[in-house]
Amino acid sequence: MNLHQNPSPFNWSGRKSDQVEYWHQAIQPVVNLKIKDDSTKKVGILGYSSEEGVIRNQGRTGTIEGPAVIRKMLGSVALHLPENLPLYDYGDVFTLDQDMESSHELISKTSYELLKTNHFPVILGGGHDLAYAHGKGVLKHVKERGEKLGIINLDAHFDLRPPIKGKGHSGSPFYQLAEENPAHFHYLALGIQRAANPKSLFDTAEKLKARYIVMEEFRLHNWEYIEEQIIWFIDSVNKIYLSIDLDGFSSAFAPGVSAPSPMGFNPQIAFKVFELIVKSKKIGQFGRGRAQSAV
C-alpha cells in the first residue's frame, strides 16, 4: 500500500532572484522517498497530510492541508542558512482508509532513516498524533546510541490522553511514547492551559513524572524562571526532541488550528525558547555522526 506522495513543485514559489535568496530556490525535491545517504549535514522535510487523529479526538478538521500551506508560506521566506546546507523535500505521508497506524509506521521508519543519514528532520503536520510517529523514530535512534532523549513540547495540551479502544489520536502521542518506553520517557510541556486539560491529565503528568509550565507562568515577564526550568531539563538529557503544536499559540496568531484559544502564548516567547534550545547544541547533533523539528 503506497502511503506516500512525491513533493509538488506548486508548493514552492516566491520572488524571482538571480541568486539563491529564498527558500523556494534552495529546496530540492526528492521522489519516492529515496533518502540521500551521505556524510554531509542536510535538512530533510517530510509532510504528514492527515486528519484522522484529529477526527478520532473530536477536533476541528483541516490539518490535512497543513503541510502544503506551510510550504507555500515558507517558499517566499528569505533564506539565511549556510549556502552549502542541502534542503530536501521528501513529500508527504498520508492516511488511507482511516488506517492512521500504517501512516505512523512509515513516518517512524522514515524519521529514523533520516537521522541515520545525517539529516535534520523537519516533519510538518497534520494532527499532533504525528508526535508519536516522529518521536518513535527519534527515540529508536537515540536509544541505539545509548543516549537519553528529552522531549520538549510547546502546546496548550499535555497530549497524555490514553488511546481510544486501543487506537491513538491527536491527544495521545506522548502517552503512547510513555507507555511503550516507560524507562526512557522524559517530558517537558510548555504553555499548558488549565481550561484545556482536566484534572485527570494533571494527575497523569504527575504519575509519569512529566515536567510542565502552565500558561499563567509561561509569560515573558517570567522568563528567568522559564529559562531556569528549560536549562535544568536540557542538562538532564543528551538529546532534545522538539515538538510544536500550533494550538499552543494564541488564536490571534494561529486562528486556523483544531483547538484555537485566545489565551495561548505569543511568538516572542516561543522564539526565546527555540533560541535557548538551539544554544544547547543538543537538538543539532543527531544523525551519523539532530533531530527534531516542528509539527
Side-chain angles (χ1 to χ4, degrees):
M1 180 168 54
N2 185 12
L3 300 176
H4 174 259
Q5 187 173 40
N6 287 328
S8 170
F10 297 106
N11 288 335
W12 294 105
S13 61
R15 182 175 282 110
K16 306 292 184 183
S17 175
D18 293 334
Q19 53 188 332
V20 178
E21 293 186 313
Y22 302 97
W23 275 75
H24 75 93
Q25 296 174 293
I27 290 291
Q28 302 177 52
V30 181
V31 300
N32 302 326
L33 274 182
K34 293 182 178 178
I35 307 296
K36 300 291 183 178
D37 187 0
D38 55 58
S39 60
T40 61
K41 293 182 179 180
K42 43 200 171 287
V43 174
I45 297 172
L46 180 71
Y48 174 47
S49 186
S50 174
E51 57 192 10
E52 175 62 22
V54 174
I55 293 171
R56 293 181 186 182
N57 199 30
Q58 302 179 49
R60 183 171 70 169
T61 58
T63 55
I64 195 170
E65 304 292 340
V69 172
I70 294 171
R71 287 181 177 97
K72 287 175 181 177
M73 296 300 294
L74 188 58
S76 60
V77 172
L79 183 69
H80 292 279
L81 294 175
E83 291 182 10
N84 60 348
L85 179 66
L87 306 179
Y88 295 116
D89 183 356
Y90 286 100
D92 292 340
V93 173
F94 60 91
T95 298
L96 187 64
D97 297 330
Q98 302 177 317
D99 184 6
M100 188 177 78
E101 287 67 31
S102 291
S103 304
H104 283 186
E105 200 172 305
L106 180 55
I107 291 169
S108 296
K109 177 177 179 290
T110 306
S111 299
Y112 172 76
E113 291 177 352
L114 288 171
L115 288 168
K116 292 287 284 185
T117 51
N118 216 32
H119 285 75
F120 175 86
V122 179
I123 318 296
L124 310 173
H128 207 202
D129 54 280
L130 168 63
Y132 167 65
H134 189 180
K136 190 174 180 179
V138 175
L139 192 54
K140 178 183 177 182
H141 180 66
V142 174
K143 285 166 67 175
E144 284 182 353
R145 294 161 60 95
E147 295 178 318
K148 185 177 178 181
L149 180 69
I151 301 169
I152 296 181
N153 178 35
L154 276 74
D155 201 336
H157 308 87
F158 281 115
D159 284 351
L160 289 172
R161 295 180 182 276
I164 300 171
K165 296 181 179 179
K167 291 189 173 184
H169 49 82
S170 64
S172 68
F174 301 112
Y175 182 94
Q176 290 174 273
L177 288 174
E179 189 175 44
E180 294 178 10
N181 307 274
H184 300 276
F185 185 69
H186 311 285
Y187 181 47
L188 171 63
L190 305 173
I192 295 297
Q193 295 185 30
R194 296 184 187 276
N197 298 270
K199 187 177 183 299
S200 60
L201 287 179
F202 282 88
D203 292 340
T204 299
E206 295 293 339
K207 288 177 184 176
L208 295 174
K209 297 181 180 179
R211 300 182 69 85
Y212 59 89
I213 298 178
V214 295
M215 191 58 238
E216 291 87 347
E217 298 174 342
F218 194 55
R219 307 285 189 184
L220 281 173
H221 68 76
N222 200 32
W223 176 247
E224 186 174 331
Y225 169 75
I226 296 167
E227 182 181 40
E228 179 183 82
Q229 296 303 305
I230 295 173
I231 290 175
W232 181 93
F233 183 78
I234 290 174
D235 286 346
S236 71
V237 299
N238 302 112
K239 305 295 181 187
I240 294 295
Y241 165 53
L242 173 63
S243 186
I244 306 162
D245 192 330
L246 293 179
D247 70 17
F249 288 91
S250 166
S251 53
F253 307 102
V257 297
S258 177
S261 168
M263 304 308 295
F265 48 78
N266 62 39
Q268 286 87 350
I269 194 166
F271 274 92
K272 285 182 75 70
V273 171
F274 302 156
E275 289 166 3
L276 183 59
I277 296 172
V278 169
K279 284 179 182 177
S280 74
K281 297 186 179 180
K282 291 187 177 182
I283 194 173
Q285 302 298 323
F286 280 87
R288 269 186 193 152
R290 164 178 161 156
Q292 159 89 17
S293 40
V295 173

